[in-house]
Amino acid sequence: MEEQYEVKKDIEYYVKSSDDECCSQENSISKNTLDLFLPLHSDSSTPIVVFVHGGGWMRGDKQAYRHYFSCYDTNLLVALLFSYYDGYANVGKSFARAGIACAVISYRLSRLEFPWLLLELTMSLLMSLTVLLTPLVFVAFVAGIVSNVLHRTEDNFNFTAQSGSILSYCTLLLLFSLFILWFIVCQNGDGYFIPPQAKFYPLILSLVVSTACLLVLDIELVSFASCLTICMVLFLLHSFAMFQRSCRPIVRHPSHINDVARSVAWVVGYGNATERYNQEQVFLCGHSAGGHLVSLLALDSNYLENVGVPLSNIKTFLILDYHKQISS
């Protein structure tokens, strides 16, 4: 079935200048973008919804899965779930199918500080390894059963005797999963800004430390694999954490609100220029933290007036699952 809408993706609604606030550590990722969903037969009478995603001001994207597959976080399990349900993009599609234009926006995000950053990165690493290990363990388990069936005798079918072999397989599977994860990180295009030399940092350090243990402590090969696995986990976490600290921009209040106001200004200007929707019938909608940002725009008209948008253009503020009280 042919879709009854068109999508204009990754439109940059605001280009930051070097003297803007919070830009001292800005990288080439632009969070000031939106996806515009337009009904095929929209005209100057079509209303438009501007939707603001949630995520605690530190997570999220107009395409939710991309946050968990980017420099902000690498959580393959959450990314797969959001990708399956088409998180936040499904909002724009639903409105467009109903004959209502919709702009789903992204905005700059604040970052976690230690120790919460390390805790979140550790949880993301564990969830990513779960995604990678599950099929590998299943294949190894099936292969082990087939091998036992084909070669089993009454003398050698002893699970206790095979425990060391099982541990070795698990260690190798985990190590293999870590290599896959780091390969995904390094090959993730513009989502990561890891210098070429830094891409080999976890691998080289892990091999150096593990080889030193092998030579100095005279450990066995299985212990070497275990040592290499532990080192990879530690150096991966260190790389993630240092990247977050050095490459993510510092974003503080009221940058998030200003970004939302700028997106509304772009929507009003684009509607006025193209007449694809009615720029005087704008409905602001936000989920969770996005709802809080929308409520702040509703309560203080200065944010919109500062970017040239009269409050009269905003017909309704729709706030979904937002926090009514936030302590300082």
Side-chain angles (χ1 to χ4, degrees), residues 120-142:
E120 181 158 303
L121 290 175
T122 302
M123 293 301 299
S124 295
L125 178 62
L126 292 176
M127 290 183 181
S128 297
L129 290 175
T130 299
V131 172
L132 295 171
L133 277 172
T134 300
L136 293 175
V137 170
F138 177 77
V139 171
F141 179 73
V142 173

Side-chain angles (χ1 to χ4, degrees), residues 89-114:
N90 59 349
V91 175
K93 294 177 182 178
S94 298
F95 276 118
R97 292 191 186 106
I100 301 171
C102 182
V104 183
I105 77 160
S106 293
Y107 51 90
R108 287 174 294 170
L109 302 172
S110 299
R111 69 187 188 191
L112 285 169
E113 300 296 337
F114 288 107

Side-chain angles (χ1 to χ4, degrees), residues 27 29 67 69-73 188 191-193 243-244 248:
N27 53 36
I29 293 179
H67 173 85
F69 202 63
S70 73
C71 72
Y72 294 91
D73 199 355
N188 199 21
Y192 274 87
F193 301 96
F243 177 81
Q244 294 273 346
R248 276 190 63 173

Side-chain angles (χ1 to χ4, degrees), residues 157-192:
F157 190 67
N158 188 330
F159 284 105
T160 302
Q162 296 179 0
S163 59
S165 179
I166 294 174
L167 179 61
S168 302
Y169 285 136
C170 291
T171 301
L172 292 175
L173 287 175
L174 179 57
L175 185 59
F176 185 58
S177 298
L178 289 170
F179 285 136
I180 294 176
L181 179 61
W182 188 241
F183 177 80
I184 292 173
V185 168
C186 293
Q187 299 299 318
N188 199 21
D190 292 336
Y192 274 87

Side-chain angles (χ1 to χ4, degrees), residues 5-300:
Y5 62 87
E6 61 176 299
V7 186
K8 299 180 184 294
K9 290 191 173 184
D10 297 322
I11 300 172
E12 196 166 26
Y13 62 78
Y14 177 67
V15 179
K16 295 174 287 297
S17 61
S18 59
D19 58 347
D20 278 344
E21 79 279 7
C22 307
C23 290
S24 59
Q25 288 182 282
E26 196 70 69
N27 53 36
S28 57
I29 293 179
S30 177
K31 294 292 287 185
N32 296 122
T33 58
L34 59 83
D35 291 344
L36 186 61
F37 298 80
L38 296 169
L40 289 181
H41 305 295
S42 62
D43 53 34
S44 58
S45 64
T46 303
I48 182 166
V49 173
V50 177
F51 182 83
V52 185
H53 69 75
W57 307 276
M58 299 180 183
R59 306 169 192 85
D61 190 84
K62 55 189 173 58
Q63 291 180 282
Y65 80 92
R66 294 206 308 190
H67 173 85
Y68 299 97
F69 202 63
S70 73
C71 72
Y72 294 91
D73 199 355
T74 302
N75 190 323
L76 300 185
L77 180 59
V78 177
L80 287 174
L81 290 174
F82 272 123
S83 179
Y84 178 79
Y85 290 106
D86 204 14
Y88 292 135
N90 59 349
V91 175
K93 294 177 182 178
S94 298
F95 276 118
R97 292 191 186 106
I100 301 171
C102 182
V104 183
I105 77 160
S106 293
Y107 51 90
R108 287 174 294 170
L109 302 172
S110 299
R111 69 187 188 191
L112 285 169
E113 300 296 337
F114 288 107
W116 309 113
L117 173 61
L118 187 59
L119 177 62
E120 181 158 303
L121 290 175
T122 302
M123 293 301 299
S124 295
L125 178 62
L126 292 176
M127 290 183 181
S128 297
L129 290 175
T130 299
V131 172
L132 295 171
L133 277 172
T134 300
L136 293 175
V137 170
F138 177 77
V139 171
F141 179 73
V142 173
I145 292 178
V146 172
S147 177
N148 282 327
V149 169
L150 294 177
H151 304 95
R152 181 174 63 180
T153 65
E154 293 183 359
D155 294 331
N156 64 10
F157 190 67
N158 188 330
F159 284 105
T160 302
Q162 296 179 0
S163 59
S165 179
I166 294 174
L167 179 61
S168 302
Y169 285 136
C170 291
T171 301
L172 292 175
L173 287 175
L174 179 57
L175 185 59
F176 185 58
S177 298
L178 289 170
F179 285 136
I180 294 176
L181 179 61
W182 188 241
F183 177 80
I184 292 173
V185 168
C186 293
Q187 299 299 318
N188 199 21
D190 292 336
Y192 274 87
F193 301 96
I194 300 175
Q197 64 275 15
K199 291 183 178 181
F200 299 99
Y201 166 79
L203 179 59
I204 292 175
L205 284 182
S206 299
L207 287 173
V208 169
V209 173
S210 301
T211 302
C213 292
L214 179 66
L215 297 176
V216 175
L217 302 178
D218 194 26
I219 59 176
E220 298 178 353
L221 191 59
V222 173
S223 300
F224 172 78
S226 301
C227 182
L228 182 59
T229 301
I230 294 172
C231 290
M232 276 292 291
V233 170
L234 294 177
F235 288 126
L236 276 177
L237 287 174
H238 180 265
S239 294
F240 284 135
M242 289 302 100
F243 177 81
Q244 294 273 346
R245 295 285 295 174
S246 61
C247 296
R248 276 190 63 173
I250 299 174
V251 178
R252 297 187 178 94
H253 174 81
S255 298
H256 319 85
I257 310 169
N258 288 331
D259 284 352
V260 176
R262 288 161 179 156
S263 71
V264 175
W266 184 94
V267 166
V268 170
Y270 186 81
N272 185 52
T274 62
E275 297 186 352
R276 290 297 305 272
Y277 49 82
N278 188 346
Q279 73 277 6
E280 295 182 353
Q281 288 191 351
V282 180
F283 297 81
L284 283 184
C285 180
H287 170 247
S288 189
H292 182 256
L293 295 176
V294 166
S295 68
L296 291 175
L297 286 178
L299 295 171
D300 189 347

